[in-house]
Amino acid sequence: MPAAAPLRILLTGFEPFERDPVNPSWEVARALDGSSCDGASVQAVQLPCVFGPAIERLDEALAQWQPQLVLALGLAGGRSEVSLERVAINVIDARIADNAGQQPIDAPVIHGAPAAYFSTLPIKAIVRDLRAAGLPGAVSNTAGTFVCNQVFYALMHRLASEPAWSQTRGGFIHLPYLPEQAARLPGAPSMALATQVQALQVAMRTALSVRVDVRESAGQLH
């Protein structure tokens, strides 16, 4: 019998944006590039923080690596926890311009596509395992309406609508500022790079091992 195809995990992170010299999503992704997780190889790809080209680069990476698991990462400055995003919505409403100067308002990510998609990661199990490891994690119910959400939505649309990706699971994780970023913003929470890398290792292991998410409260009043 032919050997089973090796498992692959794709991590995506963004280039810096809004005049910041660093983006933790890429620093974490590239720190894990080439590593292995429970027998799965990890590949990291940097996405431009630009509407449109970010999706094109994602599609190229999917075609190149054929992953069974995709974890897209982004920065959520001001958050203190590793945020497992629950839902991607089909709207772009940019508060700031992207790195190409584009600032679309009230535009769909994909014309004619569903209003929203849910992550197919075991988000509550990942939060449970993060906390068990002493790492701050939470379920988030909004990935915003900037390029992070566009990539999250486009990823989930591909996985849901294209038969070739029917067995691939994916989702989006927002990360806090790194300490060097927060140092310029008095009072802003941050998390060390090594801690964020450890959190992603936990997330990958749980995503590989848990097929059905745990049923426990992770809701919010507002």
Side-chain angles (χ1 to χ4, degrees):
M1 294 177 61
L7 289 175
R8 295 189 182 92
I9 301 172
L10 175 65
L11 298 181
T12 71
F14 283 103
E15 67 182 358
F17 68 100
E18 204 175 15
R19 299 180 298 279
D20 202 320
V22 67
N23 189 321
S25 67
W26 175 239
E27 298 307 312
V28 171
R30 74 172 177 174
L32 291 165
D33 185 37
S35 67
S36 63
C37 178
D38 291 350
S41 61
V42 181
Q43 304 292 337
V45 173
Q46 187 183 68
L47 306 182
C49 190
V50 180
F51 292 108
I55 296 177
E56 293 169 5
R57 184 69 188 97
L58 171 65
D59 286 340
E60 291 170 358
L62 290 172
Q64 179 178 2
W65 298 112
Q66 299 288 310
Q68 289 77 36
L69 181 65
V70 184
L71 278 65
L73 312 179
L75 166 65
R79 296 190 192 180
S80 59
E81 299 167 307
V82 174
S83 299
L84 278 294
E85 297 297 346
R86 190 194 300 259
V87 60
I89 59 175
N90 193 12
V91 67
I92 301 167
D93 193 5
R95 179 182 60 82
I96 61 173
D98 68 11
N99 282 356
Q102 304 175 98
Q103 192 174 0
I105 296 173
D106 297 338
V109 177
I110 299 174
H111 287 277
Y117 286 107
F118 288 109
S119 172
T120 52
L121 299 177
I123 58 174
K124 291 184 176 181
I126 291 172
V127 169
R128 175 201 64 192
D129 291 351
L130 287 172
R131 292 174 177 173
L135 302 166
V139 171
S140 167
N141 295 303
T142 175
T145 54
F146 196 51
V147 187
C148 285
N149 176 73
Q150 187 195 40
V151 165
F152 184 17
Y153 184 91
L155 169 64
M156 301 317 299
H157 181 72
R158 302 293 190 272
L159 302 188
S161 62
E162 299 182 15
W165 299 110
S166 62
Q167 300 303 308
T168 296
R169 294 186 298 156
F172 199 96
I173 301 176
H174 264 125
L175 302 173
Y177 283 131
L178 295 170
E180 56 266 37
Q181 295 175 289
R184 301 191 296 272
L185 301 164
S190 67
M191 186 182 295
L193 176 60
T195 305
Q196 296 196 30
V197 169
Q198 183 185 358
L200 260 295
Q201 291 171 323
V202 170
M204 290 189 295
R205 286 196 298 270
T206 302
L208 287 173
S209 63
V210 176
R211 302 298 304 184
V212 179
D213 206 359
V214 296
R215 185 174 175 84
E216 60 187 36
S217 176
Q220 302 172 6
L221 292 179
H222 305 289

